[in-house]
């Protein structure tokens, strides 16, 4: 089974969200349509702007935590400043 670490971006609110899943399509649908409460509900619509695939859940969790660290936030910020994420 593969695990995907992803970055979502809300252009409308200029917000990012980092998560991991084994089913990106279902998780994305949850963020944009199905969920009734939580952080991502408030900043819809979302688009997937970056992802990485891992062979283990442990690897995905480690990478997700990295994206939520100072270095990871800088990486995401650099994606925006280089135009990879268009605000």
């Amino acid at each position: 089974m593969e695990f995907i670490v992803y970055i979502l971006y809300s252009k409308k609110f200029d917000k990012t969200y980092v998560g991991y899943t084994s089913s990106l399509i279902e998780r994305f649908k949850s963020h944009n349509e199905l969920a009734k409460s939580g952080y991502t509900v408030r900043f819809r619509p979302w688009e997937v702007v970056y992802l990485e695939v891992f062979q283990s859940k442990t690897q995905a969790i480690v990478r997700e935590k990295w994206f939520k660290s100072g270095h990871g936030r800088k990486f995401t910020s650099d994606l925006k400043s280089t135009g990879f994420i268009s605000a």
Side-chain angles (χ1 to χ4, degrees):
M1 176 180 284
E2 294 180 333
F3 294 87
I4 301 164
V5 176
Y6 58 90
I7 300 175
L8 301 180
Y9 181 66
S10 171
K11 190 178 226 178
K12 183 176 179 181
F13 296 97
D14 192 30
K15 298 283 186 185
T16 57
Y17 177 84
V18 175
Y20 80 94
T21 185
S22 60
S23 177
L24 184 61
I25 293 170
E26 290 301 315
R27 190 68 180 126
F28 184 67
K29 187 174 181 181
S30 175
H31 286 305
N32 268 330
E33 298 172 21
L34 301 177
K36 302 293 182 212
S37 63
Y39 178 82
T40 59
V41 171
R42 294 179 290 190
F43 302 109
R44 289 175 176 163
W46 295 96
E47 58 186 80
V48 177
V49 294
Y50 186 83
L51 60 86
E52 294 180 5
V53 179
F54 296 90
Q55 295 305 309
S56 78
K57 185 176 181 178
T58 302
Q59 291 172 317
I61 291 170
V62 167
R63 188 61 168 169
E64 178 196 29
K65 287 182 180 181
W66 182 85
F67 276 116
K68 293 178 177 180
S69 74
H71 293 289
R73 287 191 303 273
K74 182 179 181 325
F75 176 88
T76 303
S77 177
D78 289 347
L79 288 177
K80 287 171 71 175
S81 67
T82 60
F84 190 79
I85 298 175
S86 59

